[in-house]
Amino acid sequence: MRVLGIDPGLTRCGVGVVDVRPDRRATLVEVTVIRTPADMPLEKRLLAVGAGIDALLDEHRPEVVAIERVFAQHNLRTVMGVAQVSGVALHSAARRGLPVALHTPSEVKAAITGYGSADKRQVQAMVARILGLAEAPKPADAADALAIAICHAWRGSPMADTPRGPGSEPASAQTPAQAAWRAAERSARASAVPRRLAR
């Protein structure tokens, strides 16, 4: 399955394309960030973002488009920009007859790390591991777009119905990347204890 993921934003709109096999192994196809300057008129910013999304859709021909669902924030201006870009992306997908899926940030975090309250650093590290990259794509919007795409591709797998929480997944439900992350976390916690006691 080829999925194009979008982390909507006016100043930076992350777009990531991944191919995911039935065994859930994911491969990076492309990742980029579409940028628009804050001093550009709103309608031109939306046009520029739309043109960028259109170009990527036409070049990579995904089977589905996954977008981060607009999430309530205290900053109304930010929410409006995210909602407007989401609308542009929805329009671009609909014109091509592509199905669209919306995923909340917590859904994406749970799918990628196994924990719905994971921080951005954890999500970025897991995206790099899942895709076999030496480091996470930057800026964070790029890694987030890939996480959204992977989340959608993994949706409906046995792990999707597993209760989420730190260390809650049975070993058989974890991907190799998630198992590696759990092992790294356990190692970090174990090595931190002696240092605190030594003080």
Side-chain angles (χ1 to χ4, degrees):
M1 173 187 290
R2 175 164 290 187
V3 185
L4 184 143
I6 298 175
D7 180 33
L10 261 180
T11 302
R12 295 185 307 274
C13 178
V15 184
V17 184
V18 296
D19 284 336
V20 183
R21 300 191 315 200
D23 65 0
R24 307 201 331 168
R25 292 182 184 274
T27 304
L28 173 66
V29 176
E30 177 157 342
V31 64
T32 189
V33 175
I34 303 168
R35 302 172 186 267
T36 64
D39 59 355
M40 179 184 286
L42 174 60
E43 67 276 14
K44 292 186 178 180
R45 297 181 78 182
L46 293 173
L47 182 63
V49 172
I53 292 172
D54 284 341
L56 290 164
L57 287 171
D58 291 339
E59 178 180 357
H60 297 295
R61 301 186 178 280
E63 297 169 53
V64 62
V65 175
I67 305 172
E68 184 173 277
R69 186 184 296 275
V70 176
F71 192 72
Q73 298 182 32
H74 295 299
N75 189 333
L76 181 60
R77 189 172 182 178
T78 298
V79 172
M80 287 298 295
V82 170
Q84 289 162 338
V85 171
S86 295
V88 168
L90 287 163
H91 181 262
S92 292
R95 278 192 337 188
R96 292 163 176 77
L98 294 171
V100 176
L102 301 175
H103 297 284
T104 66
S106 61
E107 288 172 345
V108 175
K109 292 174 183 178
I112 300 301
T113 71
Y115 183 39
S117 296
D119 61 29
K120 279 189 173 293
R121 181 186 62 81
Q122 291 171 316
V123 173
Q124 291 165 11
M126 282 303 299
V127 165
R129 287 174 183 248
I130 291 165
L131 295 174
L133 306 176
E135 60 181 10
K138 295 178 182 178
D141 313 83
D144 287 347
L146 292 170
I148 292 161
I150 295 167
C151 167
H152 179 75
W154 284 359
R155 190 183 64 170
S157 68
M159 190 178 171
D161 298 321
T162 304
R164 294 323 190 331
S168 67
E169 309 87 340
S172 60
Q174 295 181 27
T175 64
Q178 288 165 332
W181 179 259
R182 292 284 170 264
E185 283 186 322
R186 286 193 296 270
S187 175
R189 285 196 295 266
S191 63
V193 172
R195 286 199 297 271
R196 286 199 295 267
L197 292 176
R199 294 175 186 170

